[in-house]
Amino acid sequence: WSQGRASLLHGLLVGMVVVLVVGGSYLLFGACRVAIHPDSWRLWRTVIGFVPAALLIAVLEEAIFRGYVVYQLMAYSTPLAILGSSLSYALVHLRSGFVWPATAFELIGLWILGVVLAVSRLRTGQLYLAIGLHASLAYWARVNKLLIAFPDSATSWLVGTNRLVNGVAAWLALGAIGWIITRRRACPSEGGRP
C-alpha cells in the first residue's frame, strides 16, 4: 500500500502541476480570465465537496476502463488494449450533441487522456497512478468552471474550453504527461512493463 499511496500522490501532484502550469500560461497570455462565481456558497461547496467525488469517480472509472477493459483487451494485444480502452473512455465522456469541430476536439482530447491513463496502468502494473491523475484532472475540470472563463472562441482550437482536454495546448500537456510516465521506472514485480 505504501508504494500505491506514493503512486496515487504522484498522480495527484502531476495532474495539479500540469493544470496550474497550463492554466497559468492561459492567464498570462490572456486566453482565459479569472471569473470567480458570485455564489460563494456554491463555489466553496464545489471546491471542498468535490474532492471525495473526484476520487470516487477516478476509482470507479479506472477500475472499469484501465482495470477491466484493458485487462480484457490485453488478451489480443497491448496496442489494442491502450487504443480500445481509450476510445471507449472518450466516447462515454462525450457530451450529447455533435457540434463540429468542438466535438472532434473534445473526442481527441479525451482519447489522449485515456491513452495516458492506460499507459500509466500498464507501466506501473497498478491503477494508483492513473487514479491520482484522473482524480486531479476530474477535480479541476469541475472546479475551474467556477473560477475562470474562456471569453475568446477564436482561440478555442488552441486552448479549448473549461472541459480542459479539448484544445491543442491541452493535448500537448497530456502528451508530456504520457512521455514522463513512459520514462518512469516500471515495477515488473507489480505487473508493470519495463
Side-chain angles (χ1 to χ4, degrees):
W1 161 242
S2 66
Q3 198 168 16
R5 185 176 57 218
S7 289
L8 178 70
L9 293 174
H10 184 243
L12 288 168
L13 182 63
V14 168
M16 284 192 279
V17 166
V18 168
V19 167
L20 291 174
V21 167
V22 172
S25 300
Y26 289 177
L27 285 169
L28 182 66
F29 293 109
C32 68
R33 61 178 171 74
V34 174
I36 298 174
H37 195 278
D39 182 351
S40 61
W41 168 246
R42 180 177 175 203
L43 174 67
W44 287 109
R45 186 182 68 220
T46 304
V47 166
I48 296 167
F50 197 67
V51 170
L55 284 169
L56 180 61
I57 288 166
V59 167
L60 294 175
E61 290 187 0
E62 291 310 307
I64 293 167
F65 291 105
R66 264 57 70 179
Y68 181 76
V69 175
V70 164
Y71 179 77
Q72 294 300 316
L73 293 176
M74 284 295 290
Y76 301 100
S77 74
T78 300
L80 179 63
I82 293 170
L83 301 177
S85 67
S86 301
L87 181 59
S88 63
Y89 173 79
L91 290 172
V92 165
H93 284 82
L94 273 180
R95 286 190 269 171
S96 62
F98 186 87
V99 178
W100 180 260
T103 303
F105 273 72
E106 187 171 339
L107 182 63
I108 292 167
L110 288 166
W111 180 78
I112 294 169
L113 175 57
V115 168
V116 169
L117 295 171
V119 167
S120 71
R121 156 60 172 94
L122 293 173
R123 189 72 178 160
T124 64
Q126 300 179 345
L127 291 174
Y128 293 111
L129 179 62
I131 289 169
L133 185 57
H134 192 152
S136 183
L137 296 176
Y139 177 81
W140 286 110
R142 172 68 145 220
V143 169
N144 85 79
K145 296 171 187 170
L146 301 173
L147 301 174
I148 59 173
F150 291 81
D152 186 6
S153 62
T155 60
S156 64
W157 66 272
L158 178 62
V159 298
T161 66
N162 60 10
R163 290 281 286 171
L164 298 183
V165 295
N166 57 352
V168 174
W171 302 347
L172 294 172
L174 289 171
I177 293 171
W179 183 82
I180 289 167
I181 289 169
T182 62
R183 298 299 170 256
R184 181 184 169 133
R185 189 173 59 84
C187 300
S189 65
E190 297 166 8
R193 297 183 181 262

